[in-house]
Amino acid sequence: MKKIPYMSEEIQNQFWPLYEAKLEKNSRKTYWGDIKSFVQIVEKDFLDITREDVNRFYKYHTQEKPIKLATLQKKYRELSAFSDFICENIADLLGSDATFENYFADRLAELNAQVKMAKGHIPTIREMDKILNLAAKKNIMHYTIFSLIYRCAVKPTEIIKMVAADFFSTPDGHYLKIGEKKSERVIPLPDDITAILEQYNAARDKHATYYFYQDTYKKINERTLERLVQEYSIEAGISPITMYGIRDASLGLMHACGATSASIARDSGLTEMGVERYKDLIPAYTLRESAIDLVRIRILPFGKEN
């Protein structure tokens, strides 16, 4: 492997190869890229970093070259995990006198709280009932958007780019092809979503280029989607939520209903490690409370109340 500036032999040739073997193949490049980026920004080997270096990295990505908060959270999560690995293995690899501390953990906890606040409240099953019931009475397009995100964990950014040709059927069922070429995935559509899509297809204007659109056929955008869900949450009398909050609820519900991390990752476009954080997002008692009317986890056709 080519020598990397500010990277010690120990990190590059001892710790990293062992840690890399523990990661999924499609995660390795991202982790290694973040480690290299970190040492080059702070101009110091990973084994020599201090809390000040970790704070310097935070300042760099929030002030000098800002990135999205969720992206920064992901970087800190990966760097913290690698730091934990070093802590666990440093004595075996470098001797009993060698020490290392994970300085990323405290900042990661702060970022987790900031991202959670930025995303807004994650709706419960009953709160989503209220949103869906309102949309069912008001607008078939809104109802379809909420349903696809909540039932299929479709990303808001994917909703925006969706076209009619993304949906297709085979003798085995109905599907949605989504994502960029390198991360393209095919989602099997549940029967309840298929029924809603049939209603929406009958109502939507076929002249529109995109599957979801504004009144002037213009492409719908993320800001419009966020304003939309804010309006519905206010009308429903619940804490403010976002489209990503609905998707988080969807991923948490998949876990709570017994779906494996592998199957959730396949359908959501996340890595298995990425979907692990949605475990226990929907507490088991929430499902028990709704057990008497599990129809809540099935979305009814437009015009009928859940």
Side-chain angles (χ1 to χ4, degrees):
M1 187 184 290
K2 184 180 178 182
K3 181 72 175 75
I4 296 166
Y6 304 107
M7 190 81 74
S8 66
E9 292 275 336
E10 290 84 358
I11 290 292
Q12 190 166 345
N13 298 323
Q14 289 182 263
F15 287 98
W16 173 248
L18 289 173
Y19 188 64
E20 180 184 31
K22 296 166 66 71
L23 299 173
E24 298 175 49
K25 283 188 177 181
N26 57 352
S27 298
R28 294 171 185 173
K29 187 176 180 180
T30 302
Y31 271 78
W32 185 233
D34 283 338
I35 293 167
K36 288 193 296 182
S37 171
F38 176 82
V39 299
Q40 286 163 11
I41 287 171
V42 302
E43 299 182 339
K44 191 181 289 186
D45 178 50
F46 207 91
L47 290 172
D48 298 328
I49 61 175
T50 64
R51 192 176 302 280
E52 287 69 31
D53 296 316
V54 171
N55 292 335
R56 163 82 179 90
F57 187 70
Y58 178 85
K59 183 179 178 182
Y60 178 84
H61 280 305
T62 55
Q63 297 179 25
E64 297 174 36
K65 290 192 176 181
I67 58 177
K68 288 183 179 179
L69 200 60
T71 304
L72 185 57
Q73 177 199 33
K74 182 174 179 290
K75 288 180 182 292
Y76 268 80
R77 185 166 58 245
E78 292 170 350
L79 293 168
S80 181
F82 183 56
S83 294
D84 283 340
F85 178 80
I86 293 175
C87 290
E88 293 165 7
N89 293 275
I90 192 167
D92 291 338
L93 292 176
L94 301 184
S96 58
D97 293 335
T99 60
F100 185 80
E101 187 173 344
N102 181 358
Y103 293 111
F104 294 92
D106 290 341
R107 180 65 79 176
L108 176 60
E110 293 174 11
L111 281 166
N112 288 341
Q114 290 171 6
V115 169
K116 186 175 181 181
M117 187 177 295
K119 284 185 174 181
H121 172 65
I122 295 174
T124 64
I125 294 172
R126 294 182 185 278
E127 287 172 337
M128 276 308 301
D129 272 355
K130 293 180 180 180
I131 295 289
L132 290 166
N133 282 333
L134 278 173
K137 296 171 185 174
K138 295 175 67 171
N139 189 294
I140 180 65
M141 184 189 297
H142 301 168
Y143 190 72
T144 308
I145 289 172
F146 292 147
S147 298
L148 277 170
I149 296 174
Y150 188 53
R151 279 290 269 131
C152 303
V154 176
K155 300 174 189 175
T157 50
E158 293 169 337
I159 288 284
I160 291 167
K161 299 173 184 176
M162 208 172 281
V163 295
D166 291 335
F167 297 90
F168 68 95
S169 299
T170 73
D172 297 323
H174 304 279
Y175 302 89
L176 169 61
K177 182 178 68 176
I178 207 160
E180 303 296 334
K181 284 186 177 179
K182 289 185 178 179
S183 57
E184 188 177 88
R185 65 191 191 280
V186 174
I187 303 173
L189 296 173
D191 291 342
D192 54 336
I193 292 298
T194 300
I196 294 166
L197 290 169
E198 287 174 355
Q199 288 182 290
Y200 177 61
N201 286 334
R204 75 179 287 270
D205 195 318
K206 305 303 185 290
H207 293 98
T209 302
Y210 291 95
Y211 196 64
F212 299 110
Y213 51 89
Q214 301 189 54
D215 291 340
T216 54
Y217 298 150
K218 282 199 310 183
K219 183 181 182 181
I220 204 166
N221 56 53
E222 257 191 285
R223 186 172 296 180
T224 301
L225 288 180
E226 291 306 334
R227 280 201 302 264
L228 182 67
V229 75
Q230 290 292 322
E231 290 169 5
Y232 273 96
S233 58
I234 291 170
E235 190 173 347
I238 64 175
S239 300
I241 63 175
T242 67
M243 287 293 184
Y244 283 99
I246 295 175
R247 184 172 189 260
D248 286 349
S250 172
L251 293 165
L253 191 57
M254 290 179 188
H255 267 303
C257 289
T260 64
S261 293
S263 64
I264 297 172
R266 183 184 61 241
D267 289 347
S268 67
L270 298 170
T271 63
E272 287 188 42
M273 190 174 291
V275 302
E276 284 292 315
R277 67 180 184 272
Y278 295 97
K279 275 186 176 178
D280 303 321
L281 189 64
I282 306 294
Y285 70 78
T286 305
L287 292 181
R288 286 200 297 271
E289 287 177 352
S290 298
I292 196 167
D293 52 351
L294 282 176
V295 71
R296 292 179 181 281
I297 305 175
R298 180 178 178 83
I299 299 178
L300 300 180
F302 178 72
K304 294 185 180 180
E305 292 193 8
N306 289 281

